[in-house]
Every structure is written in structure tokens, then in C-alpha cells.
């Protein structure tokens, strides 16, 4: 922490937690999620990630 700047330290901490998915994990653990709902959510997230990667690849390669 440079010069004891609390605001800068908090900003850095929040950014790090965001990157590591801590806030997302807290939100998910707030309430119980049925195993079937968890599988469906994880599958839809995987599809979303795959589509995003494909879009980026197409944009990069210009197809």
C-alpha cells in the first residue's frame, strides 16, 4: 500500500477478487442450488464461453 492509501488498496483487492470469481461464488452460495440446476447452469456457461471464443476467433481470423 503506497502512502497508506486505503481507497487504492480496496480497489486493487476488489479487482483481484473479481478476477478470481469470489463475488460470483458468494452469490451462488447464498442459496441452495439443486444438482440438476447446477448442471444446467454449468452447461449453459460452457456454451456461452465456447460461443464467445468462436466469435473472437472469427473476428481475429476475419472469416
Amino acid at each position: 500500500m503506497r502512502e497508506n492509501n486505503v481507497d487504492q488498496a480496496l480497489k486493487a483487492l476488489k479487482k483481484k477478487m473479481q478476477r478470481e470469481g469470489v463475488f460470483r461464488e458468494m452469490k451462488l452460495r447464498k442459496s441452495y442450488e439443486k444438482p440438476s440446476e447446477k448442471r444446467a447452469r454449468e452447461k449453459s456457461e460452457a456454451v456461452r464461453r465456447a460461443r464467445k471464443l468462436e466469435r473472437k476467433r472469427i473476428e481475429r481470423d476475419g472469416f
Side-chain angles (χ1 to χ4, degrees):
M1 217 166 50
R2 288 194 179 127
E3 302 170 16
N4 294 326
N5 192 336
V6 177
D7 291 330
Q8 262 186 343
L10 269 175
K11 188 175 181 180
L13 176 65
K14 284 183 180 180
K15 189 181 281 188
K16 189 172 230 175
M17 290 174 71
Q18 181 71 37
R19 270 198 310 267
E20 293 177 3
V22 173
F23 294 122
R24 202 163 175 281
E25 185 76 20
M26 286 171 31
K27 181 181 173 189
L28 287 172
R29 289 179 186 238
K30 193 183 293 187
S31 60
Y32 179 74
E33 183 178 29
K34 289 169 44 177
S36 60
E37 291 172 344
K38 182 177 180 180
R39 278 193 304 272
R41 177 182 53 79
E42 288 176 347
K43 185 174 182 178
S44 69
E45 288 173 355
V47 168
R48 193 177 306 121
R49 275 193 310 274
R51 285 184 182 153
K52 185 176 181 180
L53 282 173
E54 185 66 19
R55 275 196 310 271
K56 284 186 174 186
R57 187 187 64 76
I58 289 173
E59 185 178 298
R60 185 184 66 228
D61 295 344
F63 292 150

